[in-house]
């Protein structure tokens, strides 16, 4: 017995009735993240530049921040801001409606409708917006009166163009005509993005054409139309600054008018206009983010978290990392 046990030990094999040794757990090792010195260097450079810009804005007396605070909420500025909001709202609404009609005309089987819509879109995307506004502003010189009736025949209704074409109407009409050309391409692209199988399935069910478009095709096209058009609104808000050239005192027009009256406050007045336009476009950007997030629910398995959710998740990760560091 002792000889067999000794032979087993010398040969490195354990006897059959010997207990199985328990493996010892490996020592915990800390995984170090990969170093990125270039990233840290670039971050430091950006922070230095941002600090210099902020210091210059805060300490440079040329900006006259006291005058900026004085003008920021003055009634004349707020009245111009209200006109800007009115022009942007009506132009966005009418531009979208016109864009839907133009997109449907371009997708129509009628060659006349397709050609007319194509020429309209080509023309208004080619002509600068300021030219369109100035042309409409002087439209009464070309056509003092307008009428509705039989072509080359008697007129049923006649009205004076100069009485109807106020500065606000000219601004809204000019921006709407220009916006409809761009909205038409957004809507057309959204409709074409719907899978062809959806059209075939709707046709196989025997649904009328209008019902197919209103209940099946267009709701799916909105997933691509709405986010793109909300992005288009940012450009529209900034384009409202051109209505000053048709004698409409919007936000930019009020700033220009006050700058002519108070030439020493030109810089703070321009800063007032800049900040207000940044606020307006930022609000539209926030709306765009949530609209895109809403319409991505049908296309993505998981919806992207909101900035607040990302902030909470980051705080939880930092707390968990701190706890792990404390245990180590």
């Amino acid at each position: 017995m002792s000889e067999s046990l000794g032979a087993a030990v010398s040969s490195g094999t354990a006897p059959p009735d010997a207990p199985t040794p328990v493996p010892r757990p490996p020592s915990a090792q800390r995984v170090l993240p990969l170093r990125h010195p270039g990233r840290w260097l670039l971050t430091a450079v950006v922070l230095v530049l941002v600090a210099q810009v902020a210091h210059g804005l805060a300490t440079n007396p040329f900006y006259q921040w006291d005058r900026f605070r004085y003008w920021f909420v003055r009634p004349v500025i707020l009245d111009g801001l209200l006109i800007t909001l009115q022009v942007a709202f009506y132009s966005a609404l009418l531009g979208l409606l016109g864009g839907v009609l133009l997109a449907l005309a371009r997708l129509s089987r009628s060659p006349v409708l397709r050609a007319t819509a194509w020429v309209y879109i080509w023309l208004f995307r080619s002509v600068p917006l300021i030219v369109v506004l100035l042309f409409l502003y002087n439209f009464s010189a070309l056509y003092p009166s307008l009428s509705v009736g039989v072509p080359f025949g008697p007129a049923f209704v006649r009205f004076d163009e100069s009485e109807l074409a106020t500065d606000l109407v000219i601004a809204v009409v000019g921006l709407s005509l220009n916006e409809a050309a761009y909205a038409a391409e957004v809507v057309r692209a959204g409709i074409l993005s719907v899978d062809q199988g959806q059209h075939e399935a709707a046709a196989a069910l025997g649904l009328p054409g209008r019902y197919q478009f209103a209940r099946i095709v267009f709701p799916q096209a909105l997933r691509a139309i709405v986010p793109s058009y909300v992005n288009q609104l940012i450009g529209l808000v900034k384009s409202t600054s051109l209505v000053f050239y048709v004698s409409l005192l919007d936000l930019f027009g009020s700033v220009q008018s006050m700058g002519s009256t108070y030439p020493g406050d030109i810089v703070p007045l321009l800063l007032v206009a800049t900040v207000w336009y940044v606020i307006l476009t930022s609000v539209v950007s926030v709306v765009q983010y949530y609209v895109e997030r809403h319409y991505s629910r049908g296309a993505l398995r998981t919806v992207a978290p909101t900035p607040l959710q990302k902030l909470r998740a980051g705080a939880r990760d930092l707390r968990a990392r701190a706890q792990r560091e404390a245990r180590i």
Side-chain angles (χ1 to χ4, degrees):
M1 180 68 180
S2 61
E3 293 178 359
S4 62
L5 182 58
V9 172
S10 62
S11 62
T13 60
D17 55 350
T20 303
V22 179
R24 304 178 65 181
S27 58
Q29 296 181 357
R30 182 181 179 185
V31 179
L32 297 178
L34 183 64
R35 304 301 180 184
H36 299 279
R39 182 189 303 172
W40 287 104
L41 178 61
L42 182 60
T43 302
V45 171
V46 171
L47 289 177
V48 170
L49 293 177
V50 171
Q52 288 181 339
V53 172
H55 180 267
L57 290 174
T59 59
N60 193 338
F62 190 71
Y63 291 111
Q64 306 179 57
W65 292 109
D66 55 337
R67 301 299 297 171
F68 170 85
R69 290 190 295 270
Y70 171 79
W71 286 110
F72 190 70
V73 291
R74 294 294 296 177
V76 63
I77 300 297
L78 297 181
D79 291 341
L81 178 63
L82 180 60
I83 294 177
T84 295
L85 294 175
Q86 290 177 345
V87 172
F89 174 77
Y90 292 127
S91 301
L93 181 60
L94 296 177
L96 180 59
L97 294 177
V100 172
L101 296 178
L102 288 171
L104 294 178
R106 284 209 62 185
L107 297 174
S108 173
R109 296 181 180 180
S110 171
V112 176
L113 293 179
R114 290 201 307 268
T116 304
W118 184 88
V119 171
Y120 179 96
I121 295 172
W122 165 75
L123 179 63
F124 279 93
R125 292 176 67 185
S126 303
V127 179
L129 177 57
I130 183 63
V131 176
V132 175
L133 290 173
L134 292 177
F135 184 84
L136 292 176
Y137 187 68
N138 297 280
F139 194 75
S140 59
L142 299 174
Y143 301 96
S145 62
L146 299 177
S147 61
V148 178
V150 179
F152 311 106
F156 301 143
V157 179
R158 185 181 301 273
F159 49 88
D160 189 0
E161 192 270 340
S162 60
E163 295 180 357
L164 297 178
T166 62
D167 296 337
L168 180 61
V169 171
I170 292 174
V172 171
V173 170
L175 288 173
S176 300
L177 292 175
N178 183 79
E179 190 68 15
Y182 292 93
E185 291 300 287
V186 172
V187 175
R188 186 174 69 91
I191 295 175
L192 293 177
S193 67
V194 179
D195 188 77
Q196 188 64 27
Q198 299 293 323
H199 298 267
E200 297 173 355
L205 293 175
L207 300 177
R210 290 181 298 177
Y211 191 88
Q212 293 178 25
F213 178 79
R215 300 298 298 271
I216 297 178
V217 177
F218 195 65
Q220 296 184 62
L222 286 176
R223 184 183 302 164
I225 294 174
V226 175
S228 300
Y229 188 69
V230 173
N231 184 56
Q232 184 72 23
L233 293 181
I234 296 177
L236 176 62
V237 171
K238 294 185 294 184
S239 297
T240 56
S241 60
L242 297 176
V243 302
F244 165 71
Y245 295 98
V246 293
S247 301
L248 186 63
L249 292 180
D250 66 323
L251 175 61
F252 182 72
S254 300
V255 166
Q256 287 287 89
S257 178
M258 291 298 100
S260 300
T261 307
Y262 302 92
D265 292 347
I266 292 180
V267 172
L269 283 168
L270 290 177
L271 288 175
V272 166
T274 300
V275 172
W276 273 119
Y277 280 118
V278 169
I279 292 174
L280 294 179
T281 54
S282 299
V283 171
V284 177
S285 299
V286 172
V287 173
Q288 176 193 2
Y289 172 80
Y290 283 98
V291 167
E292 291 180 352
R293 187 173 182 271
H294 173 76
Y295 279 96
S296 65
R297 293 178 179 177
L300 302 177
R301 295 182 181 273
T302 57
V303 182
T306 63
L308 182 59
Q309 293 173 343
K310 291 180 180 179
L311 183 61
R312 292 176 178 174
R316 288 195 300 267
D317 292 341
L318 289 177
R319 191 181 304 111
R321 185 179 302 177
Q323 293 175 355
R324 287 196 302 267
E325 294 287 344
R327 286 196 298 267
I328 294 175

